[in-house]
Amino acid sequence: MASFISVPLKKSSEVDLVKPLSKFVTASYPAGEEQSEYLRAVEELNKLRKSALGRPLDKHESSLEILLRYYDQLCSIEPKFPFSENQLCLTFTWKDAFDKGSLFGGSVKLSLASLGYEKTCVLFNCAALASQIATEQNMDNDECLKAAAKYYQLASGAFSHIKDTVLSALNREPTMDICPETVGTLSTIMLAQAQEVFFLKATSDRMKDAVIAKLANQAADYYGEAFKQCQYKDNLPKEVLPVLAAKHCILQANAELHQSILAKQKKRFGEEIARLQHAAELVKTVASRYDEYVSVKDLTDKINRALTAAKKDNDFIYHDRVPEVKDLEHIGKAALVKATAIAPPLSQKYTDLFEKMVPMAVQQSMGIYGQRKAETVNKLVGMMREATNLCNGVLASLNLPAALEDLSGDSIPQSIAEKSRLIVEQGGLQNIEKLIKDLPELLTRNREILDESLKMLDDEETTDNELRSKFNQRWSRTPSGDLYKPLRAEGNSFRNFLDKAVHADQVVKDRYNAQCDMIALLCKPENELNAAIPSANPTKTLQGSEVVNVLRSLLAQLDEVKKERETLEGEIKAVTFDMSTTFLKALAQDGAINEEQLSLSQLDQSYGSYNQKVSASLSKQEELLGQVQTAHQEFSTLKQSNNEANQREEVLKKLASAHDSYVEICNNLREGTKFYNDLTEHLVKFQTKCSDIIFARKTERDELLKELQQSIAREPSAPAFNVPAYQTTPATPAPAPGPTPAPRTVYSQQPQQVQQQPQQKPQPPSRPPPPSFTPQAAAANPTNPAPTGPPTNNPPPMTPPSQAQGPPYPTYQGYQGFYQMPMGYNPYAYGQYNIPYMPYQATPGQGGYPGAPPAGQPYPGYPQQPPQQQPYYPQQ
């Protein structure tokens, strides 16, 4: 039986998965047990790739298991890491499985920064190794036959999966071995071989001839389909095509053989002979055309014996008419195989190394949800802080509660003394000046990181544009300008953040400069502060009055509102909800995540009650401030008004306002410092992302340059030109008749077209025979007269012998005064290799050659070169 076809493995270059994946893990997940677990998983993944691709694999199920495990892990991590040219960039290089390369150019290979490309090539190796394992099975054993059928169907399914997904997984033209046409043909071949295995199993089990015929006919049909797919293409090795043709004929012959047995059982002896004759013609075709690939001796003998017996019985007994092959009933088909569906996990020992890591779609949705949540929290907290600042401003403008505490008119109000103590405890002016001094340094550091990152992108893009202008269409990779658009947009966003931060820093500095003097006054000791505040006439008559008691009650309620807001702010910031479960459930059910709808629904559910509480707090404050302003008007009319009292009240207002400004300025500066430090962390990640993609692009650029250099080296250095006719070596004599090659249309339904043979070039005439000399001429002493024409003492040339005398040589017109020596005759050959001289044996009817001349003497019968004559061949 013919040998089975197996597919060679693709070879990959080594890739370090640890460094880029570890960077992503450390940048995306906080330090802790989860991060450590993911880092260990990255190490395991890298070891798994080395085991699957970094060493030769045995043709055993354990090696296939390693490849399948690695493929399953790739399918697992694909949605969990942002593999792309401008994010997590990993460049994978694979060689063409069928390209053997050349001496100077090397084998064809392709480098792509695509995990889909890695998955495709790994799945190709899974299919190739499965075909090799199936081919190694012992086809005489039932268990081995079952295993072979299983692996061939797995290989067929893998190749079919690649055919459907390769173009979407790659962003450029794939190599020839994984293009859809090639893998589609390979899938059909593997399916045909699986069907052939079932035919062998049915034959060994001695099943009914009708069943065996249908199985063989179906296998022959698969082989014929595969032959048609690759008949006019060079995408597969040249040895595959004749094997497919031979297998088609062999299985068709088997189908006819078993169908003839069925015809004999039904007493259709003419049909039996017709089918056996057709089977004999098929195996004869195989034996004559594909004998070097398959052996059909046993099958031929079996068919011939059956045909001889059938003819003998029919000639002597039945005398049944033998129909034409075209009139025979078509043999049925029975397909028992189908391509195995590729649905990960394929490995039986698969364990997801990154089981706890959520997919990137969920991570991105979580990031957007986090932004929405932060916006909601900031909005609620901002509303409360703005209301508190408004309340403090209104009370400061009314000099409350200092006006109620300053009824004596000559001492520091208790609230002002408390504010002074708090400012001194927080560091006073020195604290603010230190925070302000640190801001420019943080800003400069962030600007330098951002500028350096963008400069790396600019330099690489300039280099890419220069190479693109140099190589034009050959520079086929993605332009850097298009690839870096998301990074440049992110860089511009960071620059906008910095510009806004600079403006905010200036606003804080201006406010500090406006309040600096009053803050400095609050930082002084109590006696100096008291001396700086103007004194006024006492207003002790207001102590115990109803209006003072009302104001104190209202201020106490406002203080209570402020405390409630602080508690409410803490509760709002503490709200947490794990949206990953919701997003994962949506992804599993719908295949996509409607982040906006899910996030807004959850945020409304989590913060709806807090919205109501904040609104109630704002309404209560507005009502209390209205009552405070009304009571303060009555309080002001009862107080004795004079210039000293007005000056004192004005200073107390400024001191209260300075305290509030100090607290707000300190908070703003701390937030600014935190903003710059957090931005530095993000900018460092951005810089790392830029450096990683620049490194990957540089590696890709070097690979592409190497491929271009190899392709340029393979190109011809000059255009083709016509060789002169006299330099053309004539065709060698045709060998003895033998088997003709298989015609291209062996499986076509149309009759074979007789191909016109190209007209051969006219052969040059055979060279003339060597001249003969008379004995007298050989014995005479040679002279050297100046020759003027051909020698007259040579006899006319005789008829050349029938045997070929060697290839014809070009003839040249000699210079005047020379006679030409027969081309191809070398009088020095024997002496050159120390071979004894053999005397010439003359043939009947032809004069012999003269004997060898004495040493140093010229050869007799040939004219000698005249002195000072130009040489025969031009000298260099």
Side-chain angles (χ1 to χ4, degrees):
M1 193 64 182
S3 60
F4 288 86
I5 297 173
S6 61
V7 181
L9 296 174
K10 290 175 70 68
K11 295 181 179 179
S12 173
S13 301
E14 184 177 356
V15 178
D16 181 18
L17 302 178
V18 175
K19 184 177 179 181
L21 295 183
S22 298
K23 277 187 177 181
F24 174 80
V25 169
T26 53
S28 304
Y29 297 91
E33 183 179 354
E34 185 180 22
Q35 184 189 100
S36 301
E37 182 179 351
Y38 293 155
L39 292 177
R40 288 193 298 269
V42 168
E43 294 283 352
E44 290 296 325
L45 180 64
N46 194 57
K47 292 179 182 178
L48 183 59
R49 188 182 196 276
K50 289 182 178 180
S51 299
L53 307 177
R55 61 183 181 87
L57 295 177
D58 298 330
K59 299 177 183 179
H60 192 267
E61 185 178 1
S62 59
S63 299
L64 180 61
E65 181 69 21
I66 295 175
L67 273 176
L68 293 176
R69 280 177 52 206
Y70 179 56
Y71 178 77
D72 290 338
Q73 291 297 339
L74 291 178
C75 295
S76 171
I77 67 173
E78 186 177 24
K80 299 179 180 180
F81 289 87
F83 293 101
S84 65
E85 287 184 310
N86 54 6
Q87 294 188 56
L88 185 55
C89 187
L90 278 173
T91 302
F92 301 99
T93 302
W94 287 82
K95 294 182 179 180
D96 192 314
F98 302 118
D99 185 78
K100 303 302 181 183
S102 61
L103 179 61
F104 299 103
S107 58
V108 176
K109 60 183 178 180
L110 178 63
S111 300
L112 285 180
S114 167
L115 190 72
Y117 177 52
E118 173 86 346
K119 282 177 53 184
T120 299
C121 295
V122 172
L123 186 59
F124 182 95
N125 274 9
C126 293
L129 186 58
S131 71
Q132 295 177 14
I133 295 174
T135 305
E136 291 294 316
Q137 299 297 318
N138 180 11
M139 298 303 173
D140 296 330
N141 182 283
D142 284 353
E143 294 300 323
C144 292
L145 285 172
K146 293 179 181 178
K150 168 188 170 184
Y151 288 126
Y152 279 135
Q153 291 178 87
L154 173 62
S156 178
F159 285 131
S160 178
H161 184 79
I162 294 173
K163 175 187 176 182
D164 297 336
T165 60
V166 62
L167 294 182
S168 60
L170 279 64
N171 56 2
R172 58 178 293 182
E173 191 70 21
T175 50
M176 186 62 71
D177 57 342
I178 58 174
C179 70
E181 294 82 5
T182 303
V183 292
T185 303
L186 291 175
S187 176
T188 306
I189 293 174
M190 296 299 116
L191 205 61
Q193 295 186 150
Q195 180 75 16
E196 182 181 357
V197 169
F198 275 99
F199 160 73
L200 295 176
K201 180 72 167 60
T203 304
S204 65
D205 292 346
R206 300 184 181 276
M207 298 181 70
K208 294 182 179 180
D209 292 291
V211 175
I212 298 176
K214 292 180 180 179
L215 293 175
N217 194 35
Q218 181 65 68
D221 186 64
Y222 283 145
Y223 278 118
E225 182 181 351
F227 179 86
K228 291 178 182 179
Q229 291 177 5
C230 63
Q231 184 175 5
Y232 300 106
K233 300 176 183 177
D234 296 330
N235 50 359
L236 291 176
K238 61 182 181 180
E239 299 85 3
V240 173
L241 197 66
V243 172
L244 295 178
K247 289 265 191 146
H248 174 83
C249 294
I250 292 171
L251 287 163
Q252 187 67 40
N254 275 285
E256 296 288 357
L257 174 61
H258 287 278
Q259 193 70 18
S260 70
I261 298 175
L262 190 62
K264 182 179 180 180
Q265 294 172 357
K266 295 181 179 180
K267 310 269 184 210
R268 300 174 184 173
F269 304 106
E271 178 184 346
E272 176 191 9
I273 295 174
R275 293 193 181 278
L276 289 174
Q277 288 176 342
H278 188 206
E281 292 174 359
L282 289 171
V283 294
K284 182 179 179 181
T285 301
V286 175
S288 62
R289 297 177 179 177
Y290 314 115
D291 186 55
E292 61 178 308
Y293 300 100
V294 293
S295 175
V296 289
K297 185 177 183 304
D298 294 340
L299 181 60
T300 302
D301 294 341
K302 184 177 181 180
I303 292 174
N304 289 335
R305 286 195 303 268
L307 179 59
T308 301
K311 282 184 175 181
K312 182 178 179 181
D313 292 344
N314 192 56
D315 291 342
F316 287 97
I317 303 175
Y318 306 115
H319 304 288
D320 195 7
R321 186 184 68 85
V322 178
E324 296 289 337
V325 175
K326 63 181 180 180
D327 298 331
L328 294 176
E329 183 181 354
H330 292 289
I331 303 174
K333 300 175 185 178
L336 297 185
V337 296
K338 65 177 182 178
T340 303
I342 302 301
L346 302 175
S347 171
Q348 299 177 356
K349 302 178 182 178
Y350 169 70
T351 302
D352 190 357
L353 297 176
F354 301 89
E355 183 178 3
K356 296 181 180 179
M357 184 181 290
V358 297
M360 279 303 301
V362 177
Q363 295 183 34
Q364 293 172 357
S365 299
M366 288 291 294
I368 300 175
Y369 168 75
Q371 294 177 2
R372 296 183 188 275
K373 177 184 175 182
E375 291 174 359
T376 303
V377 172
N378 292 337
K379 178 182 178 181
L380 295 175
V381 173
M383 291 172 61
M384 292 189 294
R385 289 183 178 180
E386 185 178 355
T388 300
N389 292 334
L390 175 63
C391 178
N392 292 336
V394 171
L395 295 181
S397 66
L398 301 178
N399 194 24
L400 294 175
L404 300 180
E405 299 167 353
D406 190 35
L407 296 179
S408 62
D410 56 358
S411 62
I412 301 176
Q414 183 180 356
S415 60
I416 298 298
E418 183 65 21
K419 289 178 170 52
S420 175
R421 184 182 64 80
L422 292 175
I423 290 178
V424 172
E425 287 180 355
Q426 294 183 16
L429 291 176
Q430 291 79 7
N431 182 33
I432 292 182
E433 291 175 353
K434 181 179 181 303
L435 293 173
I436 292 177
K437 183 180 178 181
D438 292 340
L439 291 180
E441 297 179 2
L442 298 174
L443 173 65
T444 303
R445 181 182 64 185
N446 288 332
R447 283 193 185 278
E448 289 176 352
I449 296 174
L450 180 59
D451 293 341
E452 183 180 354
S453 302
L454 296 177
K455 184 178 182 299
M456 288 192 297
L457 300 180
D458 294 337
D459 293 343
E460 201 283 328
E461 184 174 354
T462 301
T463 303
D464 181 71
N465 292 335
E466 291 175 354
L467 292 172
R468 190 174 304 280
S469 61
K470 179 178 179 181
F471 293 104
N472 297 326
Q473 290 83 2
R474 291 188 176 188
W475 198 250
S476 56
R477 71 173 185 168
T478 307
S480 297
D482 298 339
L483 189 62
Y484 297 157
K485 284 182 180 179
L487 290 175
R488 293 194 182 280
E490 189 175 357
N492 292 333
S493 177
F494 285 131
R495 196 173 296 281
N496 292 334
F497 288 155
L498 290 176
D499 294 340
K500 292 179 181 179
V502 171
H503 177 70
D505 293 345
Q506 189 61 42
V507 171
V508 173
K509 291 178 183 178
D510 293 342
R511 186 170 183 180
Y512 168 71
N513 293 331
Q515 299 287 345
C516 180
D517 295 338
M518 300 308 296
I519 294 174
L521 184 60
L522 285 173
C523 294
K524 292 182 178 181
E526 184 176 352
N527 55 350
E528 295 183 14
L529 178 60
N530 191 19
I533 300 175
S535 59
N537 294 328
T539 55
K540 295 182 180 181
T541 55
L542 293 177
Q543 292 183 358
S545 65
E546 183 179 358
V547 65
V548 172
N549 294 332
V550 169
L551 282 173
R552 286 177 176 170
S553 174
L554 293 173
L555 292 178
Q557 294 182 45
L558 286 174
D559 289 338
E560 187 65 26
V561 169
K562 293 178 184 179
K563 292 180 181 179
E564 290 177 357
R565 284 178 184 166
E566 292 179 359
T567 304
L568 190 60
E569 179 177 341
E571 293 178 359
I572 291 175
K573 290 181 177 180
V575 172
T576 57
F577 183 80
D578 185 14
M579 285 294 292
S580 60
T581 305
T582 304
F583 290 144
L584 283 172
K585 184 178 179 180
L587 184 63
Q589 290 180 350
D590 306 329
I593 300 176
N594 189 345
E595 180 275 331
E596 182 177 5
Q597 178 182 355
L598 295 175
S599 297
L600 293 179
S601 174
Q602 182 60 42
L603 290 174
D604 182 64
Q605 181 180 349
S606 301
Y607 293 99
S609 60
Y610 291 106
N611 277 320
Q612 297 176 2
K613 292 180 180 179
V614 170
S615 300
S617 176
L618 297 182
S619 300
K620 185 176 182 180
Q621 173 181 299
E622 185 178 358
E623 180 182 355
L624 290 175
L625 285 178
Q627 296 177 8
V628 167
Q629 289 174 341
T630 302
H632 184 267
Q633 289 178 358
E634 184 179 354
F635 173 76
S636 298
T637 57
L638 296 178
K639 288 180 61 176
Q640 182 180 359
S641 299
N642 53 44
N643 290 334
E644 293 178 355
N646 292 337
Q647 290 178 3
R648 180 179 177 84
E649 186 173 356
E650 189 67 25
V651 171
L652 293 177
K653 290 179 182 180
K654 290 181 178 180
L655 290 175
S657 177
H659 169 266
D660 296 338
S661 298
Y662 179 86
V663 174
E664 187 174 356
I665 290 171
C666 287
N667 291 334
N668 291 338
L669 291 176
R670 292 190 187 98
E671 289 178 358
T673 302
K674 184 178 183 301
F675 166 79
Y676 283 123
N677 289 329
D678 293 344
L679 186 61
T680 299
E681 183 179 350
H682 290 288
L683 285 174
V684 169
K685 292 180 180 179
F686 176 72
Q687 185 183 34
T688 303
K689 189 189 302 183
C690 292
S691 62
D692 288 345
I693 192 174
I694 293 299
F695 177 78
R697 293 284 285 179
K698 182 179 181 299
T699 304
E700 183 185 13
R701 180 187 68 199
D702 295 342
E703 290 287 340
L704 186 55
L705 280 173
K706 185 177 179 181
E707 292 178 8
L708 288 175
Q709 290 171 357
Q710 293 175 353
S711 64
I712 292 173
R714 288 192 292 264
E715 292 178 353
S717 58
F721 57 90
N722 295 326
V723 180
Y726 69 86
Q727 295 182 7
T728 305
T729 302
T732 58
T740 58
R744 282 294 194 181
T745 55
V746 65
Y747 297 107
S748 174
Q749 300 299 325
Q750 302 295 332
Q752 295 185 4
Q753 301 292 334
V754 179
Q755 298 182 355
Q756 183 178 359
Q757 298 295 330
Q759 185 176 1
Q760 296 183 354
K761 296 181 179 179
Q763 299 295 324
S766 59
R767 64 174 183 171
S772 60
F773 301 90
T774 60
Q776 292 81 4
N781 293 329
T783 58
N784 296 327
T788 59
T792 58
N793 57 346
N794 289 335
M798 300 186 67
T799 304
S802 60
Q803 184 179 0
Q805 298 297 309
Y809 290 85
T811 58
Y812 299 90
Q813 181 66 35
Y815 290 93
Q816 186 175 1
F818 283 88
Y819 293 104
Q820 296 184 6
M821 180 183 296
M823 298 300 289
Y825 175 74
N826 184 3
Y828 309 102
Y830 288 89
Q832 182 178 359
Y833 298 100
N834 297 323
I835 301 176
Y837 179 77
M838 301 296 294
Y840 176 75
Q841 301 295 329
T843 57
Q846 179 176 353
Y849 286 97
Q857 297 297 325
Y859 201 93
Y862 284 88
Q864 301 303 309
Q865 178 178 353
Q868 306 299 326
Q869 182 69 30
Q870 186 177 0
Y872 180 73
Y873 289 103
Q875 302 299 310
Q876 298 294 331

